[in-house]
């Protein structure tokens, strides 16, 4: 209703009803909204002129930070999913709009800001939360990324860009690799998608080399934990998957560095699949992702040299690709023999 209608309604109502309506309305406010409106209420009740908030005024970073931290704490406590006395039932479905707004506000903070590092940390924690919500019921949704209007690769891309905007360090490279290879997944995403996003932001050879070194350290760490974990523990399977994804990162970065041999060897040695043939199959899939036709053949032949027997589909694919490459090579050789003058 309009403010005039509200005033008219309040003027006609009994005081006890007005007090009850006010109290019930106040209960519907979130903690941050209450903190914002409290000074206005106090000023009016004490007879002072309420200070009007300027339109378009920037939300203070400290307030934004507190809102995000409170939200994350409540989300992990499932207060936006299960009945509780902290988050009113009417406010629980609004979590997706809150996250959208948080991301929007964090995205605005420039690298020159004194709060930039804290903003990136908050964005990282929000990304982790949404990943976790893809594995466990933290919100009423079957795909938390879709609910907030972001694809997982796109949100990860924003996080990578914001992180690297402050500079490349071993710490942030390692952190982003860990995020790319682990955590919950949207129904429309694969870890490979996040790994490809990260790969695209490793702009120099030196940075790529650091990424390989850090990924190898992470692989070593995961392998030690994996060996010390019981197979009956779910963490065993998570570590196994992380090892495989780390091997994928190392292989892809090696390809980008034009040094695929070391990456291929590392992948076949460290990937933890149920069979060596599956390891070979997964490595070939990565070459397809990267559209590396020649390297696909190279990976296949490396697997054969290791006495791996591929499935029929891979054999047929190899023969088709090999024949195609042979024809192309012969055509190029014939063109070279003719020389440029003979084509005129």
């Amino acid at each position: 209703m309009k403010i005039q209608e509200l005033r008219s309604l309040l003027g006609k109502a009994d005081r006890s009803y007005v007090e009850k309506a006010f109290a019930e309305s106040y209960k519907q406010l979130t903690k941050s909204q209450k903190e914002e409106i409290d000074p206005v209420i106090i000023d009016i009740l004490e007879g002072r002129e309420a200070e009007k908030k300027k339109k378009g005024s920037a939300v203070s970073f400290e307030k934004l930070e507190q809102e995000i931290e409170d939200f994350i704490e409540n989300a992990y406590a499932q207060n936006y999913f299960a009945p509780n006395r902290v988050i009113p039932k009417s406010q629980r479905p609004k979590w997706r709009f809150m996250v959208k707004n948080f991301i929007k506000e964090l995205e605005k903070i420039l690298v020159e800001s004194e709060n930039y590092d804290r903003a990136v940390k908050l964005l990282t924690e929000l990304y982790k939360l949404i990943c976790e919500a893809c594995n466990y019921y933290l919100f009423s949704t079957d795909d938390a990324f879709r609910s907030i209007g972001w694809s997982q690769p796109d949100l990860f891309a924003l996080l990578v860009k914001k992180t690297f905007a402050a500079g490349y360090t071993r710490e942030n490279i390692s952190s982003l690799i860990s995020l790319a290879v682990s955590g919950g997944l949207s129904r429309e995403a694969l870890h490979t998608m996040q790994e490809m996003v990260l790969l695209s932001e490793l702009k120099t050879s030196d940075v790529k080399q650091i990424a390989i070194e850090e990924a190898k350290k992470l692989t070593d760490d995961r392998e030690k934990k994996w060996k010390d974990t019981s197979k009956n523990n779910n963490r065993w399977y998570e570590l196994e998957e992380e090892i495989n994804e780390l091997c994928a990162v190392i292989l892809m970065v090696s390809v980008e560095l034009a040094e695929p041999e070391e990456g291929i060897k590392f992948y076949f040695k460290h990937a933890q699949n149920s069979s060596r043939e599956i390891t070979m199959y997964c490595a070939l899939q990565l070459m397809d992702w990267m559209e590396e036709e020649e390297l696909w053949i190279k990976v296949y032949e490396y697997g054969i040299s290791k006495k791996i027997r591929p499935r029929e589909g891979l054999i047929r694919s190899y023969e088709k690709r090999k024949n195609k490459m042979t024809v192309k090579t012969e055509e190029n050789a014939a063109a070279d023999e003719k020389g440029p003058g003979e084509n005129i």
Side-chain angles (χ1 to χ4, degrees), residues 195-244:
E195 292 156 11
M196 293 288 284
V197 166
L198 179 57
L199 184 63
S200 69
E201 293 299 322
L202 302 174
K203 301 296 187 182
T204 68
S205 297
D206 288 343
V207 171
K208 290 183 176 74
Q209 191 59 51
I210 291 173
I212 289 178
E213 292 168 5
E214 292 303 313
K216 285 183 176 180
K217 289 179 186 176
L218 291 169
T219 303
D220 184 57
D221 174 71
R222 300 302 190 273
E223 284 179 337
K224 289 176 182 176
K225 291 177 180 177
W226 183 64
K227 290 173 183 176
D228 293 337
T229 303
S230 168
K231 197 171 182 179
N232 296 323
N233 190 325
N234 285 338
R235 184 58 182 150
W236 188 90
Y237 296 97
E238 291 174 359
L239 288 167
E240 182 182 62
E241 183 180 15
E242 288 176 26
I243 291 168
N244 291 339

Side-chain angles (χ1 to χ4, degrees), residues 263-322:
I264 293 170
K265 289 178 183 177
F266 189 93
Y267 190 93
F268 275 81
K269 181 178 180 181
H270 292 271
Q272 302 295 332
N273 292 298
S274 57
S275 73
R276 295 168 71 221
E277 194 275 342
I278 292 177
T279 295
M280 179 178 175
Y281 176 80
C282 292
L284 292 170
Q285 276 194 318
L286 287 173
M287 295 304 99
D288 275 335
W289 268 93
M290 299 185 75
E291 299 180 348
E292 293 284 352
E293 191 73 11
E294 291 185 20
L295 284 178
W296 193 100
I297 293 173
K298 191 167 189 174
V299 169
Y300 181 94
E301 292 175 346
Y302 180 85
I304 296 299
S305 73
K306 294 297 180 181
K307 310 299 182 185
I308 298 174
R309 181 178 295 179
R311 64 194 70 180
E312 287 298 320
L314 290 181
I315 295 173
R316 289 194 297 271
S317 182
Y318 170 75
E319 291 172 349
K320 183 178 179 180
R321 293 171 194 245
K322 189 72 172 179

Side-chain angles (χ1 to χ4, degrees), residues 57-67 105 109 115:
S57 60
V59 178
S60 72
F61 182 80
E62 288 71 19
K63 181 179 177 183
L64 176 65
E65 184 177 44
Q66 188 60 56
E67 287 180 357
E105 292 297 328
I109 298 173
N115 299 315

Side-chain angles (χ1 to χ4, degrees), residues 14 26 41 59 84-85 92 95 111-113 120-121 132 155 168 174 185-186 194 217 232 235 257 261 286 290 292 306:
D14 184 89
Y26 187 79
I41 295 173
V59 178
N84 64 91
R85 296 184 178 182
R92 291 171 206 157
W95 69 269
V111 69
E112 295 83 9
S113 170
V120 172
K121 183 180 178 182
E132 189 76 357
L155 185 55
Y168 292 99
S174 179
L185 288 170
S186 163
Q194 281 70 259
K217 289 179 186 176
N232 296 323
R235 184 58 182 150
L257 280 171
E261 293 80 9
L286 287 173
M290 299 185 75
E292 293 284 352
K306 294 297 180 181

